[in-house]
Amino acid sequence: MCSHHYLRTSLFSGPVRCSRLLVHFASPGQFSKKLWQIYLKYLLGTIQTLALQTQKANFCFGHTCSPSVPSSTLVALVPPPVSPLPPIVWQLKGRTQPSKAPQEPHSTATPVSVPVGQAWAFMTVAYFAIAPAFRYPKRLHKVVRRLVPNCDVRFLLSESGSTKGAAMVTAVASRVQAQRKQIDKVLALFQLTREQLEDVRGKMRAEFEYGLKKDTHLTATVKMLPTYVCGMPDGTEKGKFLALDLGGTNFRVLLVKIRSGRRSVRMYNKIFAIPLEIMQGTGEELFDHIVQCIADFLDYMGLKGAQLPLGFTFSFPCRQTSIDKGTLIEWTKGFKATDCEGEDMVDMLREAIKRRNEFDLDIVAVVNDTVGTMMTCGHEDPNCEIGLIAGTGSNMCYMEEMRNIELVEGDEGKMCINTEWGGFGDNGCIDDIRTQYDKKVDEGSLNPGKQRYEKMTSGMYLGEIVRQILIDLTKQGLLFRGQISERLRTRGIFETKFLSQIESDRLALLQVRRILQQLGLDSTCEDSIVVKEVCGAVSRRAAQLCGAGLAAVVEKRREDQGLEYLKITVGVDGTLYKLHPHFSRILQETVKELAPRCDVTLMLSEDGSGKGAALITAVAKRLQQAQKEN
Ligand code: ADP
Ligand code: MG
């Protein structure tokens, strides 16, 4: 290129971060239109080449034209891989023209798609003043704007870029490299090796056995609770049922109409809020509130006075002795109402109905949401023997051989076991993979020391883990200019839904930054990249851990049935599973890897807790009827 000795470009960093880019023109003389075009061609060509080579052109702009800096130093300045971004086609022909019209691209005959990072949008191009009479700046702005219409490129006048800039490149590069190392060290804590995941699978399997055995049941951390749900729907169930769904973010009352024949279920539901003071007030207040909601719903549906069978989805660990008895072992997921632990939840509901003395309901079954989820999918797919929840909490149930359940008499057939696997690790067995951040989240929770696996895998906690990491990285001076804002200090600001948003492949870095800004976290472009990586590491580990647990149960099912190969379906529900952009895929991949002899289909359950509770109630009613007739 004939012109580049006129030019010097170098990377410039302000005293704090190095996200600003300097294109420095040291040309003292005239800069003709022709020269400008050649220069731009050269510049864009090099960006293009680099972008194609590295798949990320975020900061390549400056490096490429700087002949004095060895490229190895510069690699450190290239941000870590960001997801593939929409291509921008560079086009330049003679005078530049808007990139919309099909034109001959510069220097080559075919259009080249360049996955230029959206970090462009934050780029600041600086330049040195050229002959004042010359309309160079105007042209530069115009051309760049035309070439990258979607990017907001700011131009900044530099005073003495060349010498200062060149000296800073090396300094910046080594600092960035060192910082990168520190960040990677933190992220590495969340990267589990295959051996570690196999270890988790093995330990989970061992805990299943402890929970099932009489001697170890009471002390087991994975409680393996019999549910007294033995039969799957056979398609003959029908009727109108009420269902309650308590155990997460929302409390719902549902009317479920099941018509004979598979798949014909109609549902009407209403969501009611449970105020924090009721969640954490007394048990009586909680159940009075629930009954109030039921009354509202019946009113709303025009069903006042109707006596309907009711299935109560109550998604907390309960010890059951029959399908309509469930003693709460302990609250999880932010509930803390007093006088409930150790009490029968069905009794408490019945008493509250009595206190109100307005209607009567036939409470047929108390159901865990995992069981409802399994039932719902089982209604459509007879291979479905497992229910999984990845929502506020994390839990799993599955059909176990009666002969393996020492707590329940009888050896024939199967019964659904609610594993309550969220408590896995409470005996310290996975402390080797718990990080300081997990421990912080645990300490700040309502139930410290409990539900350790759940706290690494479920929606209620993932955002909090991310927040803890961000605080630490900021303390280390690696994020947010080292300033821990009041916002970042606020527990719960980083909700798990933000992980989903930030990790979305469709989202440009600029949008990630906007989300962070909405959260009150004033971030640079590089901060956004790091935050995205942190979110990815946390959610990935969650999905993998969940996959390792699932691998343990499918392998158990395969072995118990003496099968070479098992085909099995898992009914899954929960917003984390449904809305996170990568969770379900990583979960599936992990199960496949850790249980190679099982063909596991994950089936999304449409409203497992509502429909499932009704189906269980229907099955229970059918069995009751059959018993009466015999
Ligand atoms: P629950 O488990 O409470 O019955 P859900 O399955 O709807 O209800 O899960 C709600 C939880 O999902 C919330 O507590 C939140 O942590 C998480 N969540 C909400 N929105 C999203 C989202 N967009 N992506 C991932 N997780 C989310
Ligand atoms: Mg739910």
Side-chain angles (χ1 to χ4, degrees), residues 245 247-250 252 313 315 333 369 373 389 391-392 573-575 607 609:
D245 177 14
T249 331
N250 295 313
R252 292 181 313 151
T313 298
S315 313
K333 300 180 282 194
D369 54 351
T373 298
I389 299 281
T392 304
D573 203 348
T575 305
D607 197 354
S609 340

Side-chain angles (χ1 to χ4, degrees), residues 22 50 128 228 345 379 422 491 573 579 588 595 618:
L22 181 90
L50 238 135
F128 191 62
Y228 293 81
M345 294 299 103
H379 195 223
R491 181 155 1 123
D573 203 348
L579 295 189
Q588 178 97 55

Side-chain angles (χ1 to χ4, degrees), residues 434-452 455 461 464 467-468 491:
R434 283 174 80 227
T435 65
Q436 59 179 104
Y437 312 105
D438 295 303
K439 288 170 193 159
K440 276 257 166 63
V441 170
D442 180 42
E443 284 159 18
S445 70
L446 277 174
N447 49 353
K450 302 253 172 79
Q451 302 291 102
R452 294 189 198 179
K455 285 171 185 166
Y461 307 99
E464 224 6 54
R467 190 180 69 90
Q468 290 297 343
R491 181 155 1 123

